[in-house]
Amino acid sequence: MPRASIPGTPAVPSTPATPRTPATPDTPALGGNRWNTFPASGTTLTAREFFTATEPLLQGIVDDNALTSADIAVLEGQIRATLALGTRETALPLYLGPDSASAARELGTQAETIGRELASWSTEALERLLTDPVPLPAGPLVVRSHCYGHLLTPPAADLLLGRRGGPVSMQLYNEWLHQLVLLRDALLPFTNWQGVPLLITPTGLRHTEPARDAFLTELLVRQIRHTSIVAFARNVVTGTSGPAGYGFEAGGGTALPAVLDQPPLTAPRHLLTWRPDPSVGEVATYVAELQDYYAAPRTLVEDLPPAITTSARLAARPVTTPVVDGTRTARIEVTHEGPTAHVDLGQALRGHRFAHRESPAAADASGTADAWSALRAPGLVWTQSGEATVDATAQDDLVVLALLGRLYPENLTLRPADHATACSAGRSAARTPTDGTGPGRLTLLVDPAQTH
């Protein structure tokens, strides 16, 4: 039997600082060569909790370098330069321009947003540690940190290596800076990044380095695949790899594309949302029922039954299948006055990623198809006759998503009903075939209220 519907997005949790727990006989004391007390088996922390756990490194820098409030601006400038895009010191040399791929734009925007927040946390922490230090019972910190090549601003280099600094301060700062870069990157796939449970080991987030390297390499040298974003997200939450898929679930929650509880017109195409679910135990990957949509059977839109006149909304809900060999599938179940249609969630998400968001230059559609008829059609619905429109106005977001999974995803446009087609003339990538062999233009018309 299908499992219950996928839970919705929770409210973003508050982010109180983690209490400083005194060492016990079973917990080694901070200080010496130990900047954390994470168990060997690992633990799970949110972004704010992990940031707080790195504060002993900052305390070591304050103590070894005799920092004062006058030095905070130098270190604030350094962390902002490292976490920003487009700076000499950036740890993510990602260029964003008008022609950048949509995945790069979404991930780049995430990097800027998360980076600014982490930098603010850093400044607040430094100011607090000057007057409220973290206890280091085992003595001053002296940590060996393998260099990752992060560039320093000239003022930071002077402070950490010149005036009062030296090898101890530099090693401590290098480790802290690298842990924050790893934290920023680990959070990139998630819309609600402050609530994501991250796997933390005694090396902090360094265990994510191989997966991060693969993720960033693909992001920087090609159009990154959605499966690669999911694979990295899974690694930072579970520490493991798995089959390629469009989402995953692990102990305590699921990570699936954000569009599941956002309007398809405005939802991110590539980012995931972490949805807590206490009923989830084992790790599993969500996979599409059909890996190659080119091979799916197709139905011409011209062969669909005539449009019906009805004011009733279609009802939709997601359902999942049992886990088999570490994978599971999910469907969107759509009902209308008794009969039911099923659409693979993986194909629906694929359609959402592929669909153009701007209509082409004004053109007369060859016909309008009924949403329910399209959902009930076998295979994927397409046209080879110029342009056709599927009317999904007044339908819920999940119904629209289901239609994106039923329509052939090449040359598909998603637009609100009152969108002026002429405004996007010359900008849309949608096209009309001239030789009659390729897919014609399909437009999925939705209620403009769903843009809000």
mmCIF file of all heavy atoms in Angstrom, residues 3-45:
data_model
loop_
_atom_site.group_PDB
_atom_site.id
_atom_site.type_symbol
_atom_site.label_atom_id
_atom_site.label_comp_id
_atom_site.label_asym_id
_atom_site.label_seq_id
_atom_site.Cartn_x
_atom_site.Cartn_y
_atom_site.Cartn_z
ATOM 1 N N ARG A 3 2.424 4.712 1.004
ATOM 2 C CA ARG A 3 2.581 5.359 2.282
ATOM 3 C C ARG A 3 1.832 6.681 2.276
ATOM 4 O O ARG A 3 1.440 7.197 1.246
ATOM 5 C CB ARG A 3 4.075 5.614 2.562
ATOM 6 C CG ARG A 3 4.386 5.747 4.043
ATOM 7 C CD ARG A 3 5.858 5.944 4.264
ATOM 8 N NE ARG A 3 6.295 7.231 3.746
ATOM 9 C CZ ARG A 3 7.444 7.790 4.082
ATOM 10 N NH1 ARG A 3 8.263 7.172 4.878
ATOM 11 N NH2 ARG A 3 7.793 8.960 3.581
ATOM 12 N N ALA A 4 1.665 7.276 3.438
ATOM 13 C CA ALA A 4 0.964 8.548 3.548
ATOM 14 C C ALA A 4 1.687 9.626 2.762
ATOM 15 O O ALA A 4 2.851 9.490 2.411
ATOM 16 C CB ALA A 4 0.856 8.951 5.019
ATOM 17 N N SER A 5 1.001 10.713 2.507
ATOM 18 C CA SER A 5 1.553 11.779 1.668
ATOM 19 C C SER A 5 2.800 12.377 2.294
ATOM 20 O O SER A 5 2.987 12.367 3.505
ATOM 21 C CB SER A 5 0.503 12.865 1.462
ATOM 22 O OG SER A 5 0.132 13.427 2.695
ATOM 23 N N ILE A 6 3.648 12.905 1.430
ATOM 24 C CA ILE A 6 4.893 13.526 1.855
ATOM 25 C C ILE A 6 4.572 14.752 2.674
ATOM 26 O O ILE A 6 3.767 15.584 2.275
ATOM 27 C CB ILE A 6 5.731 13.892 0.619
ATOM 28 C CG1 ILE A 6 6.059 12.623 -0.175
ATOM 29 C CG2 ILE A 6 6.989 14.633 1.011
ATOM 30 C CD1 ILE A 6 6.576 12.897 -1.554
ATOM 31 N N PRO A 7 5.190 14.913 3.851
ATOM 32 C CA PRO A 7 4.851 16.033 4.723
ATOM 33 C C PRO A 7 5.263 17.356 4.126
ATOM 34 O O PRO A 7 6.156 17.450 3.308
ATOM 35 C CB PRO A 7 5.628 15.736 6.010
ATOM 36 C CG PRO A 7 6.740 14.851 5.580
ATOM 37 C CD PRO A 7 6.187 14.035 4.431
ATOM 38 N N GLY A 8 4.607 18.419 4.612
ATOM 39 C CA GLY A 8 4.883 19.756 4.104
ATOM 40 C C GLY A 8 6.083 20.387 4.767
ATOM 41 O O GLY A 8 6.713 19.827 5.654
ATOM 42 N N THR A 9 6.391 21.610 4.334
ATOM 43 C CA THR A 9 7.556 22.315 4.838
ATOM 44 C C THR A 9 7.285 22.865 6.227
ATOM 45 O O THR A 9 6.280 23.518 6.456
ATOM 46 C CB THR A 9 7.909 23.483 3.898
ATOM 47 O OG1 THR A 9 8.069 22.960 2.585
ATOM 48 C CG2 THR A 9 9.174 24.175 4.349
ATOM 49 N N PRO A 10 8.181 22.631 7.179
ATOM 50 C CA PRO A 10 7.998 23.185 8.521
ATOM 51 C C PRO A 10 8.422 24.646 8.573
ATOM 52 O O PRO A 10 9.095 25.144 7.685
ATOM 53 C CB PRO A 10 8.946 22.328 9.374
ATOM 54 C CG PRO A 10 10.064 22.003 8.422
ATOM 55 C CD PRO A 10 9.391 21.858 7.061
ATOM 56 N N ALA A 11 8.005 25.297 9.630
ATOM 57 C CA ALA A 11 8.499 26.652 9.844
ATOM 58 C C ALA A 11 9.987 26.602 10.142
ATOM 59 O O ALA A 11 10.484 25.650 10.719
ATOM 60 C CB ALA A 11 7.746 27.291 11.019
ATOM 61 N N VAL A 12 10.717 27.661 9.728
ATOM 62 C CA VAL A 12 12.147 27.698 9.991
ATOM 63 C C VAL A 12 12.355 27.817 11.490
ATOM 64 O O VAL A 12 11.815 28.699 12.149
ATOM 65 C CB VAL A 12 12.795 28.911 9.283
ATOM 66 C CG1 VAL A 12 14.263 29.005 9.651
ATOM 67 C CG2 VAL A 12 12.628 28.766 7.782
ATOM 68 N N PRO A 13 13.135 26.910 12.079
ATOM 69 C CA PRO A 13 13.299 26.925 13.528
ATOM 70 C C PRO A 13 14.133 28.104 13.979
ATOM 71 O O PRO A 13 14.914 28.676 13.229
ATOM 72 C CB PRO A 13 14.015 25.600 13.807
ATOM 73 C CG PRO A 13 14.766 25.317 12.543
ATOM 74 C CD PRO A 13 13.897 25.847 11.441
ATOM 75 N N SER A 14 13.947 28.465 15.249
ATOM 76 C CA SER A 14 14.808 29.481 15.813
ATOM 77 C C SER A 14 16.207 28.917 15.963
ATOM 78 O O SER A 14 16.407 27.710 15.934
ATOM 79 C CB SER A 14 14.273 29.929 17.182
ATOM 80 O OG SER A 14 14.202 28.816 18.059
ATOM 81 N N THR A 15 17.197 29.786 16.155
ATOM 82 C CA THR A 15 18.576 29.325 16.155
ATOM 83 C C THR A 15 19.308 29.792 17.407
ATOM 84 O O THR A 15 20.220 30.625 17.341
ATOM 85 C CB THR A 15 19.305 29.842 14.910
ATOM 86 O OG1 THR A 15 19.162 31.266 14.866
ATOM 87 C CG2 THR A 15 18.728 29.247 13.651
ATOM 88 N N PRO A 16 18.922 29.259 18.561
ATOM 89 C CA PRO A 16 19.642 29.648 19.767
ATOM 90 C C PRO A 16 21.033 29.038 19.776
ATOM 91 O O PRO A 16 21.282 28.002 19.165
ATOM 92 C CB PRO A 16 18.766 29.048 20.884
ATOM 93 C CG PRO A 16 18.102 27.876 20.248
ATOM 94 C CD PRO A 16 17.866 28.278 18.821
ATOM 95 N N ALA A 17 21.932 29.703 20.464
ATOM 96 C CA ALA A 17 23.283 29.169 20.567
ATOM 97 C C ALA A 17 23.268 27.889 21.391
ATOM 98 O O ALA A 17 22.490 27.713 22.326
ATOM 99 C CB ALA A 17 24.195 30.204 21.229
ATOM 100 N N THR A 18 24.144 26.964 21.034
ATOM 101 C CA THR A 18 24.244 25.707 21.769
ATOM 102 C C THR A 18 24.883 25.960 23.129
ATOM 103 O O THR A 18 25.935 26.613 23.206
ATOM 104 C CB THR A 18 25.097 24.701 20.985
ATOM 105 O OG1 THR A 18 24.512 24.529 19.701
ATOM 106 C CG2 THR A 18 25.165 23.367 21.702
ATOM 107 N N PRO A 19 24.285 25.466 24.227
ATOM 108 C CA PRO A 19 24.882 25.685 25.541
ATOM 109 C C PRO A 19 26.277 25.080 25.605
ATOM 110 O O PRO A 19 26.555 24.039 25.008
ATOM 111 C CB PRO A 19 23.905 24.970 26.492
ATOM 112 C CG PRO A 19 22.630 24.854 25.725
ATOM 113 C CD PRO A 19 23.027 24.734 24.298
ATOM 114 N N ARG A 20 27.163 25.742 26.329
ATOM 115 C CA ARG A 20 28.510 25.222 26.511
ATOM 116 C C ARG A 20 28.483 24.208 27.641
ATOM 117 O O ARG A 20 28.330 24.550 28.803
ATOM 118 C CB ARG A 20 29.486 26.353 26.815
ATOM 119 C CG ARG A 20 29.604 27.357 25.673
ATOM 120 C CD ARG A 20 30.414 28.575 26.110
ATOM 121 N NE ARG A 20 30.437 29.574 25.048
ATOM 122 C CZ ARG A 20 30.892 30.799 25.209
ATOM 123 N NH1 ARG A 20 31.339 31.197 26.378
ATOM 124 N NH2 ARG A 20 30.884 31.652 24.194
ATOM 125 N N THR A 21 28.619 22.961 27.289
ATOM 126 C CA THR A 21 28.520 21.884 28.267
ATOM 127 C C THR A 21 29.886 21.605 28.860
ATOM 128 O O THR A 21 30.849 21.376 28.116
ATOM 129 C CB THR A 21 27.980 20.608 27.610
ATOM 130 O OG1 THR A 21 26.737 20.918 26.989
ATOM 131 C CG2 THR A 21 27.788 19.505 28.636
ATOM 132 N N PRO A 22 30.018 21.618 30.180
ATOM 133 C CA PRO A 22 31.321 21.332 30.782
ATOM 134 C C PRO A 22 31.738 19.893 30.511
ATOM 135 O O PRO A 22 30.916 19.008 30.318
ATOM 136 C CB PRO A 22 31.071 21.587 32.279
ATOM 137 C CG PRO A 22 29.584 21.433 32.452
ATOM 138 C CD PRO A 22 28.973 21.906 31.171
ATOM 139 N N ALA A 23 33.039 19.677 30.492
ATOM 140 C CA ALA A 23 33.560 18.338 30.228
ATOM 141 C C ALA A 23 33.189 17.394 31.360
ATOM 142 O O ALA A 23 33.141 17.769 32.534
ATOM 143 C CB ALA A 23 35.072 18.394 30.064
ATOM 144 N N THR A 24 32.914 16.153 31.022
ATOM 145 C CA THR A 24 32.638 15.098 31.983
ATOM 146 C C THR A 24 33.732 14.054 31.838
ATOM 147 O O THR A 24 34.548 14.109 30.901
ATOM 148 C CB THR A 24 31.263 14.463 31.716
ATOM 149 O OG1 THR A 24 31.328 13.766 30.451
ATOM 150 C CG2 THR A 24 30.180 15.533 31.632
ATOM 151 N N PRO A 25 33.794 13.061 32.751
ATOM 152 C CA PRO A 25 34.819 12.026 32.613
ATOM 153 C C PRO A 25 34.784 11.333 31.256
ATOM 154 O O PRO A 25 35.805 10.824 30.807
ATOM 155 C CB PRO A 25 34.465 11.065 33.761
ATOM 156 C CG PRO A 25 33.808 11.934 34.786
ATOM 157 C CD PRO A 25 33.028 12.947 34.004
ATOM 158 N N ASP A 26 33.617 11.300 30.581
ATOM 159 C CA ASP A 26 33.515 10.644 29.276
ATOM 160 C C ASP A 26 33.719 11.618 28.127
ATOM 161 O O ASP A 26 33.717 11.210 26.970
ATOM 162 C CB ASP A 26 32.141 9.972 29.138
ATOM 163 C CG ASP A 26 31.950 8.855 30.164
ATOM 164 O OD1 ASP A 26 32.952 8.213 30.515
ATOM 165 O OD2 ASP A 26 30.807 8.678 30.618
ATOM 166 N N THR A 27 33.860 12.908 28.404
ATOM 167 C CA THR A 27 34.014 13.914 27.365
ATOM 168 C C THR A 27 35.356 14.613 27.542
ATOM 169 O O THR A 27 35.549 15.316 28.533
ATOM 170 C CB THR A 27 32.886 14.955 27.435
ATOM 171 O OG1 THR A 27 31.617 14.286 27.358
ATOM 172 C CG2 THR A 27 33.000 15.950 26.293
ATOM 173 N N PRO A 28 36.301 14.412 26.620
ATOM 174 C CA PRO A 28 37.604 15.070 26.755
ATOM 175 C C PRO A 28 37.436 16.582 26.813
ATOM 176 O O PRO A 28 36.535 17.166 26.210
ATOM 177 C CB PRO A 28 38.342 14.639 25.485
ATOM 178 C CG PRO A 28 37.643 13.406 25.019
ATOM 179 C CD PRO A 28 36.216 13.577 25.428
ATOM 180 N N ALA A 29 38.329 17.229 27.568
ATOM 181 C CA ALA A 29 38.251 18.676 27.735
ATOM 182 C C ALA A 29 38.765 19.390 26.488
ATOM 183 O O ALA A 29 39.649 18.900 25.776
ATOM 184 C CB ALA A 29 39.064 19.090 28.960
ATOM 185 N N LEU A 30 38.202 20.554 26.227
ATOM 186 C CA LEU A 30 38.682 21.390 25.136
ATOM 187 C C LEU A 30 40.028 21.979 25.491
ATOM 188 O O LEU A 30 40.335 22.266 26.651
ATOM 189 C CB LEU A 30 37.685 22.520 24.864
ATOM 190 C CG LEU A 30 36.312 22.126 24.318
ATOM 191 C CD1 LEU A 30 35.407 23.352 24.267
ATOM 192 C CD2 LEU A 30 36.438 21.505 22.941
ATOM 193 N N GLY A 31 40.829 22.197 24.464
ATOM 194 C CA GLY A 31 42.147 22.772 24.661
ATOM 195 C C GLY A 31 43.226 21.830 24.152
ATOM 196 O O GLY A 31 42.955 20.695 23.732
ATOM 197 N N GLY A 32 44.452 22.282 24.172
ATOM 198 C CA GLY A 32 45.534 21.470 23.614
ATOM 199 C C GLY A 32 45.332 21.316 22.114
ATOM 200 O O GLY A 32 45.249 22.296 21.385
ATOM 201 N N ASN A 33 45.245 20.068 21.675
ATOM 202 C CA ASN A 33 45.010 19.837 20.242
ATOM 203 C C ASN A 33 43.563 19.484 19.941
ATOM 204 O O ASN A 33 43.257 18.971 18.871
ATOM 205 C CB ASN A 33 45.929 18.726 19.723
ATOM 206 C CG ASN A 33 45.635 17.376 20.377
ATOM 207 O OD1 ASN A 33 44.799 17.290 21.281
ATOM 208 N ND2 ASN A 33 46.326 16.337 19.945
ATOM 209 N N ARG A 34 42.673 19.737 20.878
ATOM 210 C CA ARG A 34 41.261 19.371 20.709
ATOM 211 C C ARG A 34 40.386 20.623 20.700
ATOM 212 O O ARG A 34 40.269 21.312 21.706
ATOM 213 C CB ARG A 34 40.821 18.438 21.839
ATOM 214 C CG ARG A 34 39.351 17.998 21.744
ATOM 215 C CD ARG A 34 38.994 17.049 22.871
ATOM 216 N NE ARG A 34 39.670 15.787 22.698
ATOM 217 C CZ ARG A 34 39.242 14.796 21.913
ATOM 218 N NH1 ARG A 34 38.119 14.949 21.233
ATOM 219 N NH2 ARG A 34 39.908 13.672 21.821
ATOM 220 N N TRP A 35 39.766 20.894 19.515
ATOM 221 C CA TRP A 35 38.883 22.054 19.425
ATOM 222 C C TRP A 35 37.410 21.686 19.509
ATOM 223 O O TRP A 35 36.540 22.565 19.543
ATOM 224 C CB TRP A 35 39.137 22.843 18.146
ATOM 225 C CG TRP A 35 38.837 22.140 16.845
ATOM 226 C CD1 TRP A 35 39.714 21.410 16.093
ATOM 227 C CD2 TRP A 35 37.594 22.122 16.140
ATOM 228 N NE1 TRP A 35 39.093 20.924 14.961
ATOM 229 C CE2 TRP A 35 37.796 21.361 14.959
ATOM 230 C CE3 TRP A 35 36.339 22.676 16.365
ATOM 231 C CZ2 TRP A 35 36.777 21.129 14.020
ATOM 232 C CZ3 TRP A 35 35.327 22.452 15.443
ATOM 233 C CH2 TRP A 35 35.537 21.685 14.291
ATOM 234 N N ASN A 36 37.102 20.366 19.561
ATOM 235 C CA ASN A 36 35.710 19.943 19.683
ATOM 236 C C ASN A 36 35.638 18.668 20.497
ATOM 237 O O ASN A 36 36.659 18.008 20.751
ATOM 238 C CB ASN A 36 35.079 19.731 18.300
ATOM 239 C CG ASN A 36 35.667 18.529 17.571
ATOM 240 O OD1 ASN A 36 35.380 17.382 17.908
ATOM 241 N ND2 ASN A 36 36.511 18.777 16.558
ATOM 242 N N THR A 37 34.422 18.324 20.884
ATOM 243 C CA THR A 37 34.193 17.085 21.636
ATOM 244 C C THR A 37 33.195 16.197 20.897
ATOM 245 O O THR A 37 32.424 15.466 21.519
ATOM 246 C CB THR A 37 33.671 17.402 23.051
ATOM 247 O OG1 THR A 37 32.474 18.184 22.945
ATOM 248 C CG2 THR A 37 34.710 18.172 23.859
ATOM 249 N N PHE A 38 33.194 16.252 19.574
ATOM 250 C CA PHE A 38 32.279 15.427 18.796
ATOM 251 C C PHE A 38 32.630 13.948 18.980
ATOM 252 O O PHE A 38 33.805 13.581 18.941
ATOM 253 C CB PHE A 38 32.353 15.778 17.310
ATOM 254 C CG PHE A 38 32.081 17.218 17.007
ATOM 255 C CD1 PHE A 38 32.853 17.904 16.078
ATOM 256 C CD2 PHE A 38 31.063 17.908 17.651
ATOM 257 C CE1 PHE A 38 32.608 19.238 15.792
ATOM 258 C CE2 PHE A 38 30.810 19.237 17.380
ATOM 259 C CZ PHE A 38 31.583 19.908 16.448
ATOM 260 N N PRO A 39 31.632 13.085 19.152
ATOM 261 C CA PRO A 39 31.912 11.653 19.335
ATOM 262 C C PRO A 39 32.485 11.029 18.068
ATOM 263 O O PRO A 39 32.229 11.494 16.953
ATOM 264 C CB PRO A 39 30.542 11.064 19.675
ATOM 265 C CG PRO A 39 29.554 12.026 19.096
ATOM 266 C CD PRO A 39 30.186 13.383 19.203
ATOM 267 N N ALA A 40 33.233 9.955 18.239
ATOM 268 C CA ALA A 40 33.849 9.271 17.103
ATOM 269 C C ALA A 40 32.813 8.755 16.117
ATOM 270 O O ALA A 40 33.064 8.683 14.911
ATOM 271 C CB ALA A 40 34.725 8.128 17.599
ATOM 272 N N SER A 41 31.643 8.402 16.623
ATOM 273 C CA SER A 41 30.583 7.880 15.757
ATOM 274 C C SER A 41 29.849 8.983 15.006
ATOM 275 O O SER A 41 29.021 8.711 14.141
ATOM 276 C CB SER A 41 29.573 7.087 16.585
ATOM 277 O OG SER A 41 29.015 7.907 17.607
ATOM 278 N N GLY A 42 30.166 10.245 15.334
ATOM 279 C CA GLY A 42 29.506 11.369 14.685
ATOM 280 C C GLY A 42 28.271 11.825 15.442
ATOM 281 O O GLY A 42 27.747 11.118 16.307
ATOM 282 N N THR A 43 27.811 13.006 15.110
ATOM 283 C CA THR A 43 26.609 13.559 15.713
ATOM 284 C C THR A 43 25.888 14.383 14.660
ATOM 285 O O THR A 43 26.400 14.594 13.562
ATOM 286 C CB THR A 43 26.961 14.433 16.939
ATOM 287 O OG1 THR A 43 25.763 14.795 17.623
ATOM 288 C CG2 THR A 43 27.706 15.694 16.525
ATOM 289 N N THR A 44 24.699 14.845 14.981
ATOM 290 C CA THR A 44 23.897 15.631 14.047
ATOM 291 C C THR A 44 23.668 17.015 14.634
ATOM 292 O O THR A 44 23.182 17.146 15.761
ATOM 293 C CB THR A 44 22.551 14.949 13.773
ATOM 294 O OG1 THR A 44 22.778 13.690 13.138
ATOM 295 C CG2 THR A 44 21.700 15.804 12.859
ATOM 296 N N LEU A 45 24.011 18.039 13.851
ATOM 297 C CA LEU A 45 23.849 19.415 14.294
ATOM 298 C C LEU A 45 23.267 20.261 13.165
ATOM 299 O O LEU A 45 23.484 19.966 11.985
ATOM 300 C CB LEU A 45 25.201 20.020 14.714
ATOM 301 C CG LEU A 45 25.951 19.370 15.872
ATOM 302 C CD1 LEU A 45 27.298 20.052 16.058
ATOM 303 C CD2 LEU A 45 25.141 19.431 17.156
#
